[in-house]
Amino acid sequence: MKEIYAVIRPNKIGATKEALAILGFPGMTAVKVVGRGKQRGILGEVSFNIDPELLKTTGGMKYVPKRLVYLVVDDADVPLVVAVIIKINRTGQIGDGRIFVCPVEEAVRVRTGERGKEAI
Protein backbone atom coordinates (compact mmCIF):
# COMPACT_ATOMS: atom_id res chain seq x y z
CA MET A 1 0.00 0.00 0.00
CA LYS A 2 1.06 3.56 -0.67
CA GLU A 3 -0.14 6.92 0.54
CA ILE A 4 -0.32 9.58 -2.14
CA TYR A 5 -0.07 13.22 -1.07
CA ALA A 6 -0.90 15.84 -3.67
CA VAL A 7 -0.55 19.58 -3.14
CA ILE A 8 -2.80 21.21 -5.74
CA ARG A 9 -4.47 24.49 -6.63
CA PRO A 10 -7.70 25.20 -4.70
CA ASN A 11 -9.72 25.56 -7.90
CA LYS A 12 -8.77 22.01 -8.98
CA ILE A 13 -10.04 20.14 -5.92
CA GLY A 14 -13.54 19.47 -7.30
CA ALA A 15 -12.32 18.07 -10.61
CA THR A 16 -9.67 15.98 -8.84
CA LYS A 17 -12.20 14.53 -6.40
CA GLU A 18 -14.65 13.74 -9.21
CA ALA A 19 -12.02 12.07 -11.42
CA LEU A 20 -10.73 9.90 -8.58
CA ALA A 21 -14.27 8.86 -7.63
CA ILE A 22 -15.07 7.88 -11.25
CA LEU A 23 -11.96 5.68 -11.28
CA GLY A 24 -13.05 3.93 -8.08
CA PHE A 25 -11.13 5.93 -5.48
CA PRO A 26 -13.87 7.83 -3.62
CA GLY A 27 -12.06 7.78 -0.26
CA MET A 28 -9.69 10.66 0.21
CA THR A 29 -8.89 13.43 2.65
CA ALA A 30 -8.55 17.04 1.56
CA VAL A 31 -7.48 19.97 3.71
CA LYS A 32 -6.84 23.65 3.14
CA VAL A 33 -3.15 24.42 3.48
CA VAL A 34 -0.82 27.32 2.81
CA GLY A 35 2.75 27.05 1.69
CA ARG A 36 5.13 27.96 -1.05
CA GLY A 37 7.44 26.26 -3.46
CA LYS A 38 10.57 27.44 -5.17
CA GLN A 39 8.67 30.37 -6.67
CA ARG A 40 8.26 31.84 -3.15
CA GLY A 41 4.62 32.67 -3.68
CA ILE A 42 2.91 34.24 -6.66
CA LEU A 43 0.53 37.10 -6.06
CA GLY A 44 -1.35 36.37 -9.28
CA GLU A 45 -1.90 32.77 -8.17
CA VAL A 46 -5.08 33.58 -6.28
CA SER A 47 -8.24 35.36 -7.36
CA PHE A 48 -9.58 36.50 -4.00
CA ASN A 49 -8.74 39.06 -1.35
CA ILE A 50 -5.53 38.29 0.49
CA ASP A 51 -4.79 39.02 4.12
CA PRO A 52 -2.28 41.91 4.07
CA GLU A 53 -0.10 39.97 6.53
CA LEU A 54 0.53 37.36 3.82
CA LEU A 55 1.88 39.91 1.36
CA LYS A 56 5.56 40.66 1.04
CA THR A 57 6.90 44.07 0.14
CA THR A 58 8.42 42.55 -3.02
CA GLY A 59 5.00 41.76 -4.52
CA GLY A 60 5.09 38.06 -3.69
CA MET A 61 3.42 36.24 -0.85
CA LYS A 62 4.77 34.52 2.23
CA TYR A 63 2.39 31.62 1.57
CA VAL A 64 0.08 30.53 -1.23
CA PRO A 65 -3.28 28.86 -0.48
CA LYS A 66 -3.37 25.26 -1.72
CA ARG A 67 -5.25 22.03 -1.09
CA LEU A 68 -3.58 18.91 0.25
CA VAL A 69 -5.25 15.72 -0.97
CA TYR A 70 -4.19 12.37 0.35
CA LEU A 71 -5.37 8.82 -0.08
CA VAL A 72 -4.08 5.30 0.46
CA VAL A 73 -4.15 2.93 -2.51
CA ASP A 74 -2.89 -0.51 -3.41
CA ASP A 75 0.62 -0.51 -4.91
CA ALA A 76 -0.73 -1.50 -8.33
CA ASP A 77 -3.03 1.55 -8.42
CA VAL A 78 -0.33 4.16 -7.78
CA PRO A 79 0.54 4.87 -11.44
CA LEU A 80 -3.12 5.35 -12.37
CA VAL A 81 -3.90 7.66 -9.44
CA VAL A 82 -0.75 9.75 -9.99
CA ALA A 83 -1.47 10.02 -13.73
CA VAL A 84 -5.03 11.21 -13.09
CA ILE A 85 -3.92 13.80 -10.54
CA ILE A 86 -1.34 15.10 -13.02
CA LYS A 87 -3.83 15.16 -15.90
CA ILE A 88 -6.40 17.16 -13.91
CA ASN A 89 -3.95 19.56 -12.26
CA ARG A 90 -1.27 20.29 -14.86
CA THR A 91 -1.70 23.77 -16.32
CA GLY A 92 1.93 24.21 -17.34
CA GLN A 93 2.24 27.22 -15.08
CA ILE A 94 4.29 27.68 -11.93
CA GLY A 95 2.29 26.53 -8.92
CA ASP A 96 0.73 23.36 -10.35
CA GLY A 97 1.78 21.50 -7.20
CA ARG A 98 3.62 18.37 -6.11
CA ILE A 99 2.79 14.70 -5.61
CA PHE A 100 4.50 12.54 -3.01
CA VAL A 101 4.16 8.75 -2.76
CA CYS A 102 5.00 7.16 0.58
CA PRO A 103 4.91 3.55 1.81
CA VAL A 104 2.18 2.48 4.22
CA GLU A 105 3.02 -0.39 6.53
CA GLU A 106 -0.48 -1.17 7.75
CA ALA A 107 -4.08 -0.06 7.43
CA VAL A 108 -6.82 -1.00 9.90
CA ARG A 109 -10.53 -0.26 9.53
CA VAL A 110 -11.63 0.76 13.02
CA ARG A 111 -15.24 -0.41 12.68
CA THR A 112 -14.53 -3.97 11.49
CA GLY A 113 -10.90 -4.62 12.36
CA GLU A 114 -10.10 -5.42 8.70
CA ARG A 115 -6.44 -5.03 7.87
CA GLY A 116 -4.30 -4.37 4.85
CA LYS A 117 -5.86 -4.04 1.41
CA GLU A 118 -9.33 -4.89 2.76
CA ALA A 119 -9.14 -1.89 5.09
CA ILE A 120 -8.68 0.62 2.28
Side-chain angles (χ1 to χ4, degrees), residues 1-3 75 101-106:
M1 291 176 291
K2 302 280 193 241
E3 185 163 26
D75 289 358
V101 179
C102 305
V104 173
E105 290 186 27
E106 181 72 86

Side-chain angles (χ1 to χ4, degrees), residues 14-28 71 84:
T16 301
K17 178 180 148 185
E18 186 177 317
L20 289 171
I22 288 170
L23 291 175
F25 304 99
M28 61 179 251
L71 64 156
V84 166

Side-chain angles (χ1 to χ4, degrees), residues 32-51:
K32 294 179 181 180
V33 295
V34 294
R36 69 177 196 190
K38 292 179 181 177
Q39 83 278 5
R40 296 181 160 178
I42 305 166
L43 192 53
E45 171 80 7
V46 294
S47 60
F48 49 84
N49 291 333
I50 299 168
D51 181 347

Side-chain angles (χ1 to χ4, degrees), residues 34-37 40-41 52-56 60-64:
V34 294
R36 69 177 196 190
R40 296 181 160 178
E53 290 295 315
L54 293 177
L55 296 177
K56 284 184 172 180
M61 298 173 63
K62 288 183 182 178
Y63 302 105
V64 177

